[in-house]
Amino acid sequence: MSAPAAPRPSLPTPSPTAAEAAATATAPASASAAVTTAATRHRGLLDWRVRFAILSVIWGFSFLLIKVGTEAYAPFQVALGRVLFGALALLAVLMVRREPLPRGLRTWGHLTVAALLLNTAPFSLFAYAELSIPSSLAGICNATSPLWGMALSLVALSEDRPTRRRFAGLGLGFLGVLTVLGAWHGFSGVDAKGTAFALLASLCYPIGWIYVRRTLAGTPGSPVALTGAQLLVSTFQLALVSALFTSAPASFPLWPTLSVIALGALGTGMALQMQYGLVTEVGPTTAQMVTYFIPVIATTAGVLVLGEQLSWNTPVGAAIVLAGAALTQTRPAPGKPA
């Protein structure tokens, strides 16, 4: 998930995507002590490499869970279940720690916009996308988020100066997208609408990061409290949208229901908790490398579990996209001009 370097405060986006690792790379300065304490509390339970692998698997399988969820529920309902169970998981953590939710109308106003950009819109778009495209393609489209972020940051964030290497990464990533979609065949066999939804979902994340960095940097409260509040707001947003545009489910099939619950409780709640600990223990640079395993696992899960078809250009294009994304995140060494 393409992390900004500290100390750029941002809220983690509770999504099993490349965006989440980026957004969880930093926390508000006032919350650093709380995060450090939490990380120290869990450091001895599992080696960070094991937790890194578990996190990669959880976020990689999330696209499969979305696909299974949409077999029985409308996309808005899948997104609603995702934020609802994610919020419940984080609220349970806050209750155990006896930590309060953020206060202040201004903070909650900004969290409302952040929830729309980082949860409500992208979660719904990914669910709609997977009605017509494979979960593996959705996972690869998600990996373009760092590329969108680099392009937007050059315009919106004055501290992100362009370099030849980062521009090369942007071009390489674009080439990778064309490879995944099979541009030389005229994009035949690729659902344009579903792919556009997945790419638009990936674009939502860096827009959300920029908004959060401009409005919520330094907001009092732990990252768990801020993210829990953000998910609560997103739950209300999606509950309203679902009530207006979908009908109540006639039944609750076992596997789609379990998939939505796991998507929220594990892919959003537990995974974010794990990511906070990794960022504090090994640093954002190492922790963000989970980004580059997510599309690999998403593709593998789609092929092995769901029987999705995989042509040679999909893994090759995905590798090119990830290489481009990695280049866009490189920064000049200390003492060297950008």
Side-chain angles (χ1 to χ4, degrees):
M1 267 174 225
S2 52
R8 299 179 184 175
S10 68
L11 281 176
T13 156
S15 156
T17 66
E20 290 177 44
T24 54
T26 58
S30 60
S32 60
V35 179
T36 302
T37 301
T40 302
R41 187 185 305 128
H42 295 92
R43 183 174 297 177
L45 298 180
L46 285 174
D47 184 81
W48 73 266
R49 298 169 187 83
V50 176
R51 285 178 282 135
F52 183 98
I54 294 172
L55 186 62
S56 301
V57 171
I58 290 174
W59 275 337
F61 266 81
S62 292
F63 294 96
L64 179 150
L65 296 176
I66 294 171
K67 191 75 170 180
V68 176
T70 56
E71 292 177 358
Y73 302 108
F76 280 136
Q77 293 169 348
V78 173
L80 172 59
R82 182 176 182 176
V83 294
L84 171 61
F85 289 105
L88 291 176
L90 292 184
L91 290 177
V93 173
L94 291 176
M95 290 181 63
V96 171
R97 296 183 182 179
R98 298 182 180 179
E99 293 183 24
L101 289 171
R103 297 179 180 179
L105 289 177
R106 178 183 176 277
T107 298
W108 281 91
H110 290 313
L111 285 172
T112 299
V113 179
L116 176 64
L117 294 173
L118 296 174
N119 306 116
T120 302
F123 289 4
S124 300
L125 286 167
F126 270 123
Y128 269 103
E130 292 199 40
L131 291 177
S132 56
I133 67 173
S135 63
S136 55
L137 179 56
I140 293 169
C141 288
N142 173 81
T144 65
S145 190
L147 304 175
W148 294 118
M150 181 263 184
L152 290 173
S153 67
L154 296 179
V155 177
L157 300 173
S158 58
E159 70 268 25
D160 283 336
R161 300 297 184 185
T163 65
R164 286 189 295 272
R165 179 174 293 183
R166 299 183 75 189
F167 272 125
L170 190 61
L172 189 62
F174 180 68
L175 176 63
V177 172
L178 294 179
T179 303
V180 169
L181 300 181
W184 57 92
H185 293 310
F187 305 107
S188 61
V190 177
D191 184 82
K193 184 178 179 180
T195 305
F197 279 164
L199 291 173
L200 184 58
S202 301
L203 174 60
C204 287
Y205 292 124
I207 295 175
W209 306 336
I210 291 172
Y211 176 83
V212 165
R213 286 171 59 177
R214 289 186 178 277
T215 60
L216 286 168
T219 300
S222 73
V224 177
L226 290 168
T227 305
Q230 181 180 308
L231 285 178
L232 275 179
V233 174
S234 181
T235 299
F236 285 114
Q237 292 173 344
L238 282 164
L240 177 60
V241 171
S242 297
L244 291 175
F245 298 104
T246 66
S247 301
S251 62
F252 298 90
L254 179 61
W255 289 113
T257 301
L258 290 178
S259 294
V260 172
I261 293 173
L263 185 63
L266 298 180
T268 299
M270 190 187 87
L272 284 176
Q273 276 292 104
M274 197 174 296
Q275 179 71 359
Y276 294 139
L278 285 174
V279 168
T280 305
E281 184 174 345
V282 300
T285 301
T286 300
Q288 74 166 334
M289 293 302 294
V290 71
T291 300
Y292 306 111
F293 291 89
I294 291 173
V296 176
I297 294 172
T299 300
T300 304
V303 172
L304 296 182
V305 180
L306 299 179
E308 295 175 348
Q309 298 300 311
L310 185 67
S311 56
W312 69 268
N313 58 296
T314 301
V316 171
I320 297 173
V321 167
L322 293 177
L327 281 177
T328 65
Q329 302 312 300
T330 59
R331 301 187 183 277
K336 293 184 178 181

